[in-house]
Amino acid sequence: MDIIQDYLLPPTCLLCGNKGTPHRDLCQPCHRQLPRNRQCCYQCAARLEVQSDAPMLCGRCLSRRPAFDDTYAPFVYGDALRYLVTGLKFGAQYKNARLLGHLLAEHLQETAEKPELVLPVPLHNSRYRQRGFNQAIEIARTVAEDMRLPLDLHSCQRRHDTPHQTRLTAKQRRKNLKGAFAVVKPIKVGHVAIVDDVMTTGSTVHELAKVLKKAGVAKVDVWVCARA
């Protein structure tokens, strides 16, 4: 099926327009130039200045431990990732979601312990109706398919339509998101991975992880395409 699809619609790099690699809308030169997030805090994926082969925590996680356990963010949120994410989020470019999902899954298959469930960060119903889709769900569909993991779209809900958080401080974001999520169906697994497009301060996934832990989930990882 992939061979037929590639013949009828040859992969084209979404970043430069040149020929993509097999089954992927990204060329090798653009793939190599994507900014990797290699030296980072294992819990929140914030970049670290100190070089070490051992897992390390950043100062923020040492002083205020988040509710989630580990974060996997293969890329730094720079120009190329911003182009792909904003094109998806505000331009409904679903092909961007497929590419981001493939890239994230590729990284996870090499680095992450498999959870029992993949759970995209929910959007509030009013925001979903306005946008017409949830970018976290679109990315998570590809990740779950590539990694052969179940995808849960119904156990958690966003109860409050929180305002855009772009210009808020970390403290303001935490206050803004307090009580934003609820578990509405029992989650009968011990290990869950939350999926989102980008992590900025981690306030959103912290709040979601907190309600998952209260609902009985023992381990919550965060999978995001990029770390700002």
Side-chain angles (χ1 to χ4, degrees):
M1 187 67 180
D2 286 337
I3 295 172
I4 296 171
Q5 184 174 325
D6 284 357
Y7 177 75
L8 296 173
L9 295 169
T12 301
C13 181
L14 297 176
L15 297 176
C16 72
N18 289 330
K19 183 179 178 181
T21 54
H23 319 316
R24 184 172 293 180
D25 288 323
L26 187 69
C27 68
Q28 285 290 356
C30 286
H31 192 185
R32 286 194 294 268
Q33 290 174 19
L34 292 175
R36 264 62 174 188
N37 187 27
R38 291 193 174 95
Q39 195 69 35
C40 60
C41 170
Y42 74 81
Q43 191 160 21
C44 77
R47 282 165 284 173
L48 298 172
E49 299 298 327
V50 179
Q51 299 289 318
S52 173
D53 293 331
M56 294 185 67
L57 286 170
C58 66
R60 179 176 289 179
C61 287
L62 282 168
S63 62
R64 189 187 182 97
R65 296 299 289 268
F68 50 85
D69 297 283
D70 298 282
T71 298
Y72 297 86
F75 303 107
V76 175
Y77 191 57
D79 292 340
L81 272 297
R82 185 178 293 109
Y83 174 81
L84 293 171
V85 169
T86 56
L88 167 61
K89 207 167 183 175
F90 305 111
Q93 297 293 321
Y94 293 104
K95 57 190 176 184
N96 294 18
R98 288 192 297 272
L99 175 59
L100 289 166
H102 286 317
L103 292 171
L104 179 54
E106 182 179 69
H107 173 76
L108 295 166
Q109 285 165 344
E110 297 174 355
T111 58
E113 176 190 349
K114 269 194 173 186
E116 296 161 270
L117 199 66
V118 172
L119 197 155
V121 173
L123 273 183
H124 190 268
N125 286 339
S126 62
R127 189 72 60 86
Y128 190 94
R129 286 193 297 269
Q130 180 186 22
R131 190 175 294 168
F133 67 98
N134 178 350
Q135 74 279 357
I137 289 177
E138 299 308 319
I139 293 167
R141 286 190 200 280
T142 298
V143 173
E145 183 179 352
D146 285 0
M147 299 187 70
R148 299 180 181 179
L149 291 168
L151 180 64
D152 186 341
L153 304 181
H154 306 292
S155 294
C156 288
Q157 289 182 356
R158 195 165 192 142
R159 299 195 297 186
H160 307 316
D161 186 13
T162 51
H164 289 293
Q165 306 205 116
T166 308
R167 297 182 181 179
L168 300 182
T169 65
K171 186 176 181 180
Q172 289 170 328
R173 288 178 186 230
R174 288 195 297 270
K175 185 178 179 181
N176 192 31
L177 285 157
K178 193 169 183 180
F181 299 102
V183 174
V184 295
K185 291 185 178 181
I187 299 177
K188 299 177 181 179
V189 299
H191 185 187
V192 171
I194 297 171
V195 175
D196 207 358
D197 51 1
V198 179
M199 181 191 283
T200 304
T201 65
S203 300
T204 299
V205 286
H206 165 74
E207 194 64 31
L208 181 52
K210 191 165 67 174
V211 299
L212 289 171
K213 291 281 183 80
K214 284 182 180 178
V217 178
K219 180 174 172 57
V220 178
D221 292 337
V222 178
W223 294 353
V224 291
C225 302
R227 184 64 157 92

